[in-house]
Amino acid sequence: FCSALLTHGLTTGVADAQLQSGLVGYWSFDEGAGFVASDSSGNHRPATLVNGTRWVASGAIDGALAFDGVNDYLIFGFEPQKTISISAWVYAQGPTDDPLPKIIEVPGYVLFLAQPGAPGARTMSLGFHSRRSGQEGKWRTPAYSMAYNGWHHIAVVYNGSSTLNNPDLYID
């Protein structure tokens, strides 16, 4: 299940005015029906539900979307950003056939769960893949940093123009 907030161009200690000017989109995923998730940011960037992504009435906050962990996803309509912050509520029910199921894929970036290789494992980690910078890369939180069958608030902050080229990944 997922709710997402995407921003760009933010710095630590952001003021409300800067958040509004850097907000790319905000999808609460509480529509409950249809094939489109509305963008509440005012930027008119709806997300399209693909391959059977389904609405559920009970999420971490109001409604949510359920993904099968195989091929369900959303298409977000905006241009790739060099600097991006992604925040979402995620509930993973258990391991899937895909060892790296996507949470959010937006132009240039993927936020994913990194499942441990052992069958029946009960924990996982959070991963981020950048395809935007000159130094393409994947990063993960330590193994076993998330548990199945519970809500987790996750976030990534990434500046692709930074010489360090490292994202900050947050869980709960």
Side-chain angles (χ1 to χ4, degrees):
F1 306 118
C2 187
S3 176
L5 168 71
L6 302 175
T7 62
H8 72 92
L10 298 180
T11 58
T12 305
V14 162
D16 286 340
Q18 188 178 5
L19 178 61
Q20 291 300 323
S21 69
L23 189 61
V24 172
Y26 173 73
W27 300 267
S28 60
F29 304 129
D30 58 6
E31 286 86 350
F35 298 101
V36 175
S38 298
D39 172 14
S40 300
S41 72
N43 292 325
H44 310 290
R45 293 183 168 118
T48 304
L49 287 66
V50 180
N51 289 339
T53 301
R54 59 187 173 82
W55 298 97
V56 294
S58 179
I61 302 170
D62 295 325
L65 292 173
F67 302 88
D68 65 9
V70 178
N71 65 350
D72 294 359
Y73 65 97
L74 298 172
I75 297 172
F76 292 90
F78 60 89
E79 296 298 316
Q81 309 291 319
K82 284 188 177 184
T83 302
I84 193 165
S85 298
I86 302 171
S87 172
W89 281 98
V90 176
Y91 187 103
Q93 294 178 325
T96 68
D97 292 336
D98 184 350
L100 302 171
K102 297 173 188 170
I103 299 169
I104 296 174
E105 181 170 10
V106 297
Y109 306 99
V110 177
L111 192 58
F112 61 91
L113 298 177
Q115 300 185 101
R122 302 296 304 160
T123 59
M124 64 196 149
S125 62
L126 177 65
F128 179 70
H129 180 194
S130 167
R131 297 177 295 219
R132 282 279 305 151
S133 69
Q135 299 173 328
E136 179 176 328
K138 284 187 182 177
W139 299 268
R140 296 182 187 173
T141 58
Y144 310 108
S145 55
M146 290 177 66
Y148 290 111
N149 299 315
W151 284 102
H152 297 282
H153 185 255
I154 59 167
V156 61
V157 178
Y158 180 71
N159 182 349
S161 61
S162 166
T163 57
L164 296 177
N165 197 45
N166 289 326
D168 292 315
L169 298 166
Y170 301 94
I171 302 171
D172 297 325

